[in-house]
Amino acid sequence: MMLKSYYFIRTKDDHGKFVVHTEDCVFLGEAANRTLIGLHINCESAVEEAKKISNETDFNGCFYCAYACHTK
Ligand SMILES: [Zn+2]
């Protein structure tokens, strides 16, 4: 069991989604433009938490670091 810190980018991507990343992703971007979701065992759990804390529904996993949650 390996927990990682997850973040989402506060600016929507070209598909209208907030992209979720792990703490060690090279595409995480600048600290000023991301929100810490917290420690999670997988991206599914992180996305659920992101929805709760943001009251938003449009999330997508990063292709590189959260592929299991990546759609299209
Ligand atoms: Zn990523």
Side-chain angles (χ1 to χ4, degrees):
M1 176 150 131
M2 189 174 148
L3 294 170
K4 282 190 172 182
S5 285
Y6 283 83
Y7 293 84
F8 69 85
I9 306 299
R10 285 203 290 269
T11 305
K12 285 184 173 179
D13 69 4
D14 293 343
H15 303 289
K17 306 280 189 181
F18 298 107
V19 179
V20 172
H21 297 275
T22 59
E23 59 193 324
D24 51 359
C25 182
V26 295
F27 298 103
L28 190 53
E30 59 186 66
N33 194 33
R34 65 195 190 213
T35 294
L36 177 64
I37 301 167
L39 287 168
H40 287 272
I41 187 68
N42 56 38
C43 63
E44 289 90 345
S45 173
V47 167
E48 284 310 303
E49 180 77 19
K51 288 177 180 175
K52 285 182 198 159
I53 64 177
S54 65
N55 275 323
E56 298 280 354
T57 56
D58 297 327
F59 289 91
N60 195 8
C62 170
F63 181 89
Y64 299 96
C65 71
Y67 189 76
C69 297
H70 179 75
T71 54
K72 155 155 161 313

